[in-house]
Amino acid sequence: MTQLIGLAVIATLILNIFLAVALIFLERRDPTSTWAWLLVLFFIPIFGFFIYLLLGRQLREKHLFRWEGRSKIGIEKLIDYQIEAIEEDTLDFRLDDTAHYQDMIYLHLRNNHAVLTQDNDVQVFNDGEAKFEALIHDLEHAKDHIHFQYYILRLDHLGKRILDVLVHKAKQGVKVRVLFDDIGSRGLHKRHLRELTDHGGEVEAFFPATLPLINPRLNYRNHRKIVVIDGRIGYVGGFNVGDEYLGLNSKFGYWRDTHLRIEGSALHPLQTRFILDWNQASEKHDIEYAERYFPAIPRKGSVGMQIVSSGPDEEWEQIKDGYLKMIFIAKKYIYIQTPYFIPDISFLDALRIACLSGVDVRIMIPNKPDHMFVYWATYSNIGKLLKAGAKVYIYENGFLHTKQIVVDDELSTVGTANIDVRSFKLNFEINAFIYDREKSHELAELFEQDIQLSTELTYEAYLQRSRMIKIKESISRLLSPIL
């Protein structure tokens, strides 16, 4: 028996060495992530191996999202035109607010093929009741199609109410497609939406498990929230579908989030993103190009916008690059709201430099965790910026889930990407980058209203934290690259 135990120990050590070699020489990860996984492998020698198999393997599937119909929309030609026009300083900007940020627009054009649209009408929601009432109203008035994608879709009171509307529209002949993430919506299966499919609706799950309880792509999730109605109305932002997003969960209380309702030409790239995601997940119901999905849209407003997406299938971290560019551009202030603040060193350095350069950096985080290690890693990173002069606010009126940055009352972004390694590297995300003084000012005012519902965390108070909190921070900081 002793001999068998000894052989098992030796085999485990050998296996760990092989995995370590693979991590260092084959995976080609960044050094911080490599060290974090090495710690897991050597301090949890047996279970660490299985954790790595489930969560650690890199996504090998490049070019996941392909759609032949994309060339028929005209977006690619428009992108080429906009890149050339910015290079030659001939692009027609309808507002000075937009023209002022052409270097950032150029970044997203080259980095993400994110076309600039300048005719959008945008409505901001910071409350779940208002957002879902507006969404349900728009769903009820759909005439041709509904494309409905959420990371979390629960069939609780809110979910069933929305499902009833979707079924009703399918019965009327509206083409309804529902896409949900298999892990985010765990417990939900296609069979639970059979009433919708029985009436002509279509349902797909993103990266589903190949075997029960086994999902080799467990760590790579589609965190996007997209709704497109008739190719004319779109929604994107932080709210998922579930009663907790209406503030009905006693653990979290009121749910503070931000979501956008969009009308205008930004619907074309938003629709394209949904179709790419849908066709990747679809087993036999791929969407072919049709003009009905990309109707001519009359000018609705004057908000400039780019729809930017990112994911582990890409070489670069496009949304993080956009966040960093916003920090570099800032002259007066940077307002950040995020439920998780676990950035890499480049992001922390950029904010620290902004603070030391006299920019008013304000960061708002929740007062309660929905993931314990993530919360203490957030707390650890906040301490570094407090020392540099950042102002930090702990939101006390429930749970803060919004992913929002505002710079200088002119530039802002709202979407699904948190400020953490998971959103930057592992999840499939989507954000709207907004070049508009009025909308950015509106988002800044919401931030300032939230300050009244928050407690400021000073550097002096942070230094008084207990020894136990310091231990939790230290452990979480070590694991932060893989959280």
Side-chain angles (χ1 to χ4, degrees):
M1 185 65 179
T2 304
Q3 187 176 8
L4 288 175
I5 294 174
L7 290 173
V9 170
I10 293 172
T12 301
L13 289 174
I14 292 173
L15 181 60
N16 276 353
I17 291 171
F18 276 113
L19 280 174
V21 169
L23 273 171
I24 296 171
F25 297 106
L26 300 180
E27 292 282 355
R28 295 291 182 181
R29 298 172 180 269
D30 62 273
T32 54
S33 178
T34 298
W35 278 112
W37 278 115
L38 288 175
L39 286 171
V40 170
L41 290 173
F42 282 100
F43 282 96
I44 319 175
I46 297 176
F47 292 107
F49 169 68
F50 293 103
I51 293 172
Y52 174 77
L53 288 180
L54 285 175
L55 302 178
R57 290 164 50 188
Q58 289 185 311
L59 188 67
R60 297 294 186 184
E61 301 162 84
K62 301 299 181 182
H63 307 295
L64 281 170
F65 304 100
R66 293 181 176 179
W67 182 42
E68 293 180 1
R70 186 169 184 171
S71 61
K72 300 178 182 179
I73 306 168
I75 289 181
E76 292 180 349
K77 291 182 179 179
L78 182 57
I79 290 167
D80 291 339
Y81 163 75
Q82 289 184 349
I83 289 174
E84 183 177 347
I86 290 178
E87 290 174 344
E88 298 176 354
D89 199 24
T90 59
L91 187 61
D92 180 24
F93 292 104
R94 295 178 181 173
L95 296 175
D96 291 340
D97 299 352
T98 311
H100 185 63
Y101 295 104
Q102 63 177 303
D103 55 342
M104 183 166 178
I105 293 165
Y106 185 73
L107 165 71
H108 287 315
L109 281 164
R110 293 197 59 203
N111 199 24
N112 193 242
H113 290 173
V115 65
L116 171 68
T117 58
Q118 304 183 76
D119 60 351
N120 301 292
D121 179 75
V122 178
Q123 184 176 1
V124 177
F125 294 100
N126 68 329
D127 173 78
E129 288 280 359
K131 181 259 178 171
F132 285 109
E133 286 302 320
L135 174 60
I136 290 171
H137 176 271
D138 287 333
L139 293 174
E140 289 174 337
H141 288 81
K143 303 297 183 184
D144 183 77
H145 65 273
I146 295 171
H147 290 163
F148 191 90
Q149 173 181 354
Y150 278 90
Y151 172 65
I152 296 175
L153 175 57
R154 304 194 197 284
L155 292 185
D156 49 18
H157 177 74
L158 175 63
K160 288 178 181 177
R161 183 183 173 195
I162 290 175
L163 179 60
D164 287 344
V165 174
L166 296 178
V167 170
H168 178 66
K169 300 309 294 186
K171 289 178 179 178
Q172 291 181 342
V174 173
K175 189 61 182 180
V176 178
R177 295 181 174 94
V178 174
L179 175 62
F180 61 89
D181 185 83
D182 190 63
I183 299 298
S185 303
R186 53 187 171 275
L188 179 66
H189 301 283
K190 291 183 182 180
R191 65 177 181 273
H192 296 141
L193 303 175
R194 187 164 295 160
E195 184 180 8
L196 176 61
T197 56
D198 285 347
H199 290 93
E202 296 176 359
V203 177
E204 297 292 350
F206 188 87
F207 277 5
T210 51
L211 295 171
L213 303 178
I214 298 177
N215 192 329
R217 296 178 291 190
L218 177 66
N219 218 22
Y220 303 103
R221 308 317 314 168
N222 196 320
H223 197 235
R224 296 170 183 145
K225 297 95 178 169
I226 300 171
V227 177
V228 178
I229 300 167
D230 294 341
R232 298 181 181 274
I233 297 172
Y235 286 81
V236 66
F239 282 105
N240 288 291
V241 176
D243 286 349
E244 66 264 43
Y245 303 98
L246 299 177
L248 300 179
N249 186 304
S250 58
K251 176 183 177 182
F252 296 111
Y254 180 75
W255 193 278
R256 169 66 176 91
D257 219 322
T258 307
H259 221 90
L260 305 178
R261 180 187 185 273
I262 304 168
E263 291 184 83
S265 295
L267 265 295
H268 286 179
L270 196 64
Q271 180 82 287
T272 301
R273 180 70 268 167
F274 174 86
I275 293 174
L276 288 167
D277 286 7
W278 174 271
N279 286 356
Q280 194 288 321
S282 172
E283 295 178 352
K284 48 191 173 185
H285 298 113
D286 281 9
I287 300 174
E288 301 293 338
Y289 171 81
E291 291 186 5
R292 60 190 282 202
Y293 300 129
F294 299 92
I297 300 175
R299 182 171 178 176
K300 302 295 295 187
S302 59
V303 176
M305 178 183 295
Q306 286 175 291
I307 301 297
V308 178
S309 57
S310 63
D313 61 315
E314 299 286 353
E315 180 180 1
W316 294 324
E317 301 161 25
Q318 290 98 330
I319 292 178
K320 188 192 90 167
D321 289 348
Y323 285 176
L324 284 172
K325 184 64 175 177
M326 293 177 75
I327 296 170
F328 299 153
I329 288 173
K331 302 295 183 184
K332 301 175 183 177
Y333 75 78
I334 302 167
Y335 290 172
I336 297 174
Q337 287 175 297
T338 178
Y340 319 122
F341 188 76
I342 317 175
D344 59 17
I345 192 64
S346 66
F347 200 99
L348 282 172
D349 281 346
L351 282 177
R352 179 180 57 82
I353 292 169
C355 288
L356 297 175
S357 302
V359 177
D360 181 10
V361 176
R362 304 188 183 195
I363 303 168
M364 189 176 294
I365 58 175
N367 73 337
K368 59 185 73 176
D370 62 343
H371 302 290
M372 188 61 67
F373 279 114
V374 171
Y375 183 77
W376 292 117
T378 292
Y379 214 67
S380 173
N381 288 313
I382 286 298
K384 299 175 184 178
L385 293 177
L386 282 169
K387 186 176 182 180
K391 296 178 181 178
V392 176
Y393 300 94
I394 312 298
Y395 185 75
E396 303 288 358
N397 188 41
F399 186 68
L400 181 76
H401 190 252
T402 181
K403 306 95 166 55
Q404 173 181 312
I405 302 177
V406 187
V407 166
D408 294 349
D409 254 17
E410 295 181 348
L411 174 64
S412 54
T413 183
V414 172
T416 68
N418 298 304
I419 298 175
D420 61 9
V421 175
R422 176 162 296 279
S423 279
F424 292 162
K425 290 180 178 291
L426 301 178
N427 284 344
F428 298 91
E429 306 280 5
I430 186 168
N431 268 54
F433 285 81
I434 303 168
Y435 311 96
D436 184 82
R437 185 182 299 272
E438 181 181 337
K439 284 301 159 187
S440 297
H441 180 70
E442 180 181 349
L443 290 166
E445 284 189 324
L446 290 175
F447 182 97
E448 290 164 359
Q449 291 172 19
D450 289 333
I451 288 178
Q452 307 305 313
L453 302 170
S454 305
T455 301
E456 184 173 358
L457 176 64
T458 65
Y459 186 55
E460 292 72 24
Y462 177 78
L463 292 177
Q464 298 303 313
R465 68 200 188 283
S466 69
R467 184 180 298 275
M468 181 55 66
I469 290 178
K470 292 178 182 179
I471 293 173
K472 291 177 180 179
E473 284 185 24
S474 298
I475 295 172
S476 300
R477 187 167 57 249
L478 286 173
L479 295 175
S480 62
I482 60 175
L483 289 176

